[in-house]
Amino acid sequence: MWERTGFCLKKIMLRYTDEKGQYLLCRCIGYVLKSGFVVLFFSVILSINPAETIAARALYLQRPKLAFNISFEYDKDVRIVRSKKGEDSASRFREGLDIKTKGWFYHPALLVYSLNYSPEWGQSNSSGISGDENSFFHGYSGDMTLLQFKPYTVDVFAERTSRRIRSNFAETTRLNSDTYGGRLTLKYRFLPVVFGYDHIESSQTGFYESETDQDSFNLTMSLRNQRAAMSISSFYRDLNKVVNNQILDNEVKHANLRNSIVILKKNKLSFSSGVSYEESFSTNKDEEEYLADGTLVWRIKPNLKSSYTVNYENIDTFDKKLLSPIPRETMSHDLNLTHTLYENLATNINVTYEKLKIINNTDQRYGVGAIWDYKRRIPWGILRLEMGQSYRNVEVLESEDFVRVIDEIQRIDDVTVTPLANANVDFNIPVSVSDSLGTPLIEDFHYELIQIGDVKGIRCKLALPGCTAGVDVFVDYTYRSRFPFDYSIRFQLYGIRLDLWSRLKLHYNYSKLKQNFLRGFRPEELNQNIIHRAGAELEWKNSNSMIEVEDVDSVTGLSLRRTRLMESVYLKTANEWFLNITASYTINKYHKTDETVKVGNILASAEKLIFYNGKMRAEVFMRDVTGESQDLNNIGFSTFLNWIYNIYEIDLTYSFTNEKNSITDQTFRNHYLFLNLRRNLF
């Protein structure tokens, strides 16, 4: 027996040993967790009579719940490219079981658990590359909690799932993922601590192929009393990802310390500070970052408060594409004074100083600003006025011809081209884009770069995962700077807002930014931005109407006029139909290129409860984008039916989509049918 045990352990160690011969403890733990859950599940189920809820001496097992699933899917794609027609179709038949139970060992205070086992058998037939395919998938999930009522608690979990991701191809596209990990929680009052570990392995096949392997550790602890608090947090994440044969790695080490203290009673004088360190290694760049900050807050009177903040940031970046280091250092001071008069007029005065150094480019900036916010009730509603003024000086101490920008945050979508903050981007130097986790994105797959005059912009690629509309990305690029000169910037802001009868909202805002030359080499043109924004919104009974016009006039940036209309109607009929219709129309006219982009969207849906335990939903949508570089039309509809009758549950879905790109002369049509029958046996 002991020889067999030693042989099995040796085999496990050999299996989870890397190329250098080092034992991978994390993999072994994952193997034990996943195997342990499966062995425990079958041991409990097979060794105990499931016909009734039992309570043995040391084990409580709730009567298992058993359900049977059977589903059918059908896809048909029609693609027309320059009068050449191609068709793909695929059908899939799947059946599976869903077994669930939960219980405790010896006593609920000692160990509680829940188990779920979901095996699935599948058969698929496709006219594409994959052809006929038979598959079997072991899906499971489980979690255990040890000593849940003690000051020290251990939680472990494991899960294996599979789901289908639809794409513009009918071939099978599945995402299989394995997740396991644990938590150790120390619930001591003076120093609570949480330590966690997570591991994720996923494999995605089909049009968008990827392999992901991620390990993460995190540690948090805190210490607090009536007048002081301190918290420590740290994490380590190692991500290895392969997307369409491209390796995208990211390793991050982070530690953060925060503390706060009340110096005078009633929180009249308080101080908070923090320091953090982060080291990251990715495919495109390596970074080492040091941050420190401190804030002193003095509540002089109930309606008068002042604060002083100092920040220091030091980031050393090594760009692997340029093979060059990029050091950055920032020091800033900020003084704020806030006053409230009779709860109607709020005044905020701000004084700032900042010194920024990137490689051999050094700027020194200081300025002052004030914002007034006035709010007052009137007989018909609420009146709100806003006014702001600021003045800032910028002195260029050192300058180079080319400036490298690191981690510029841009929010992008799949229609509007989002311009980068600086013009004259150098096309000969690579542009790098990454997501919020630091994972690099691929050009012409996740996103595309577009040139508009002397401004370079970024936009999501349509119908591709990884870069969805409205997501924030981090952009690294190089631009050619103008001859160094000192300048000042004056900013003005005026706004008015009326909320009338709790139904009508009117607003108008005007802002102006003007750059003035002080000394140095005078440029040909100075920056000036003027923005007018006006709009109205009306809520009346079951409808909501909105109109907004925005005009942006920029000397060195992107100038455009945007007009947006939107109408939403919500109805409920006498026979319990719920109707929702939303339509929007946006016109973007770019002044410098004289290009106009029009975007129209219509979405109509109807929903009704049927047969007491059923629900039916139908949806129709249309999207049209027209412009000199875009001409897209997308229409379609979908239906959904869910009905529960005793122990049976039926799901039926059908959708049709027609996408047309007139610029590239491409048309795509998709028919999709899904039918699922579930029977809860007990």
Side-chain angles (χ1 to χ4, degrees), residues 32 112 129 288 337 347 362 377 395 428 468 559 571 573 592:
V32 172
V112 294
I129 301 175
E288 188 175 26
L337 183 65
T347 303
T362 304
R377 288 189 174 273
E395 297 180 359
N428 299 320
T468 56
S559 300
L571 298 175
T573 63
K592 294 182 179 180

Side-chain angles (χ1 to χ4, degrees), residues 418-432:
T418 303
L420 300 179
N422 298 281
N424 302 319
V425 176
D426 193 338
F427 294 95
N428 299 320
I429 300 178
V431 176
S432 301

Side-chain angles (χ1 to χ4, degrees), residues 11-69:
K11 187 175 181 180
I12 292 174
M13 293 180 67
L14 289 175
R15 181 179 179 183
Y16 294 101
T17 302
D18 62 5
E19 297 177 354
K20 298 180 180 179
Q22 297 176 348
Y23 180 63
L24 302 181
L25 178 61
C26 297
R27 303 298 181 113
C28 186
I29 294 174
Y31 178 82
V32 172
L33 282 175
K34 293 188 290 184
S35 303
F37 274 116
V38 177
V39 172
L40 176 62
F41 184 86
F42 281 105
S43 299
V44 171
I45 294 297
L46 297 179
S47 62
I48 298 177
N49 181 14
E52 58 183 4
T53 303
I54 60 106
R57 290 183 179 179
L59 182 66
Y60 172 85
L61 175 69
Q62 190 182 67
R63 177 178 176 176
K65 298 180 180 180
L66 176 63
F68 175 74
N69 283 289

Side-chain angles (χ1 to χ4, degrees), residues 525-552:
E525 54 184 17
L526 295 170
N527 189 22
Q528 178 174 295
N529 290 337
I530 299 177
I531 301 177
H532 297 268
R533 185 183 293 112
E537 183 177 356
L538 175 64
E539 294 184 8
W540 181 259
K541 294 184 178 179
N542 297 323
S543 66
N544 181 279
S545 305
M546 189 269 289
I547 179 173
E548 186 177 69
V549 179
E550 181 182 23
D551 186 87
V552 180

Side-chain angles (χ1 to χ4, degrees), residues 415 417 448 450-452 459 590 595-597 625-632 661-664:
V415 176
V417 179
E448 59 182 340
I450 299 174
Q451 186 73 19
I452 302 178
R459 181 174 63 192
Y590 300 92
E595 179 183 3
T596 301
V597 178
V625 182
T626 59
E628 294 184 4
S629 59
Q630 302 178 76
D631 193 351
L632 307 173
N661 190 331
S662 300
I663 300 295
T664 59

Side-chain angles (χ1 to χ4, degrees), residues 55 82 91 144 236 267 313 382 416 446 505 560 600 642:
R82 297 182 179 88
S91 59
M144 297 181 186
Y236 170 80
N267 212 23
E313 178 179 294
I382 298 177
T416 307
H446 293 111
K505 299 178 182 179
L560 61 88
N642 174 264

Side-chain angles (χ1 to χ4, degrees), residues 181 255 276 423 466 577 667:
S276 67
W577 276 98
T667 302

